[in-house]
Amino acid sequence: MSLTTLTALLLNAVTVQAKLPLSPDDLRARLQEDNDITFDPLGVAAVLHNPRAQASAARLYTQYDRDSFIWPHTMMIGATLVPLQVLVEHMTATFSSIHPAITLCTKGTVNLSVVSNMVFKELPLDFSNAWLEDIIAFKSSSKPNNDFMLVHIPHDTPQTGPVPWKVFIGRLSLHFISAITGAILGAAIVLSILSADIWSVILFFFYGTHWLVGVFISLTTIVTVHRPERPIPPDSTTRYAVYQRPAGGTVVFKGRQDDMEKWGRRTWEFVPTFTNKCLHWLWITTGTLAALASVACMVNMRGYLQLAFLGILFYSSLAEIVATRIARMIREETHLPARSFPVLENNTRTRGIIRATIEAHRAIRLTNLDWVGLNRLPDFQIFKDMQEMLRRINEYQEDVEVGKEPHPRAEVLQHPRVKEAISDFLNAHEHNFPGKLAERIVDETKEALLVWSRFPENSAVKDDADMKMNSV
């Protein structure tokens, strides 16, 4: 190798070494200057996607349960990302678009696909009927496909009983949760000022103002249920809607025509008052600034103030979960009587249908529900005749419960009306269907009648308002 070639290789090696951080000075740790502005992934934790934040903000805007409690929107993880999303929708929407506040409040709406003797094929499940969520999500039995849950839709506003001590404590707890959030943010602002940390002052100030705007919003209603110009006329005709759960089990909703129609046609509207518009835009502005400050300010704050900020997010996220459980408890305690009746552990589907038609209280039992017409049973004559038999038995039950039929319940199977309905059904299908389907249906009917005869809550002595139906 020539001297010239060797010299060139040495020069290249020196050049490469100079470009790599291999010198002792480069490996030595250096403190960051106080006036440096940096960004760090830790600040993004405040604006991570959180579906609970979306639902919490929607509850804040609707306050549908205002008569029972006021929902406190907390500064949980992702809470400030929601107003930022609403701002983007405002910027991209046209004048003819749906108001972004309505979009915010309807994102959590679930449309239940139902078959019914009405024109509605879907029924919305949202904040206005949140009490249905736990009922629909009832625990299945060992035979989930044959499970039934009967749900009575109340007429107008559900009757509420006296406020128990648990409801009083729950309301105070929700106010306490909101007050603690504000107190923590206020203390953080004071500590930031005393620490002369401009970054933390900006961050906690925006979060504090966003919390304050949320408090003012909770005192009013920005999004409410739309009231049509022509109200739905009163109609007491009984209607049914059948919902088949994906996880197994059938939920049957029963209610008046006008109540079921109000449910099916329910929509939301933004209340366009000057106060609501100002609060809406203040909530968007302060929330957006808080989201931006979370990313830009947090990493430049002092270490103990960063920990304080993360502590606020952790507390608010946990507080929102606790508030959800408290709100559910209040809703259960203030809506009386219970309006559901489970029919579980059925060996066959016909047994579940018969029990739901006979055993339940008369206000909720499935009288005159056309299972064949709704395609919930095969279009066979035996099932049509079964429905006719159940209709005649329901008429007898109604007369007994209102006092028109004095026959003792202990002899319910020997009553002429019951024996006649059963014998007519048996005679029509004595030689039909192998496996003695008709005899099995009759046995299931007799079993349900015996259970009904032992229900003291179906007695005609008690008033309907005092009836307490079985709940989940």
Side-chain angles (χ1 to χ4, degrees), residues 379-395:
D379 189 8
F380 297 153
Q381 188 62 41
I382 189 172
F383 295 122
K384 294 179 180 179
D385 293 342
M386 181 191 75
Q387 293 181 164
E388 175 61 21
M389 177 186 65
L390 295 177
R391 184 192 64 79
R392 293 167 64 180
I393 292 176
N394 287 156
E395 291 179 351

Side-chain angles (χ1 to χ4, degrees), residues 64 123-133 263 266 331:
Y64 192 83
L123 294 174
L125 185 64
D126 50 31
F127 300 109
S128 61
N129 47 25
W131 59 275
L132 285 172
E133 294 179 358
W263 182 13
R266 181 174 295 134
R331 195 179 293 114

Side-chain angles (χ1 to χ4, degrees), residues 25 30 48 64 174-175 187 191-192 292 325 334 337 352-353 386 396 404 444 458:
D25 293 336
R30 291 180 296 177
L48 291 176
Y64 192 83
L174 293 178
H175 293 307
L191 180 61
S192 301
L292 298 176
R325 298 297 297 266
T334 55
I353 291 175
M386 181 191 75
Y396 162 74
K404 293 182 180 180
E444 293 169 347
N458 286 336

Side-chain angles (χ1 to χ4, degrees), residues 358 388-400 405 407-427 441-450 452-453:
I358 294 179
E388 175 61 21
M389 177 186 65
L390 295 177
R391 184 192 64 79
R392 293 167 64 180
I393 292 176
N394 287 156
E395 291 179 351
Y396 162 74
Q397 291 179 281
E398 178 78 13
D399 291 341
V400 172
E405 182 60 67
H407 190 80
R409 293 188 178 210
E411 303 175 6
V412 60
L413 298 182
Q414 303 303 321
H415 193 276
R417 293 171 63 182
V418 174
K419 293 177 64 177
E420 183 181 3
I422 293 177
S423 62
D424 289 346
F425 173 75
L426 279 177
N427 292 335
I441 291 176
V442 169
D443 292 340
E444 293 169 347
T445 301
K446 291 180 179 180
E447 179 185 348
L449 278 169
L450 291 176
W452 166 77
S453 66

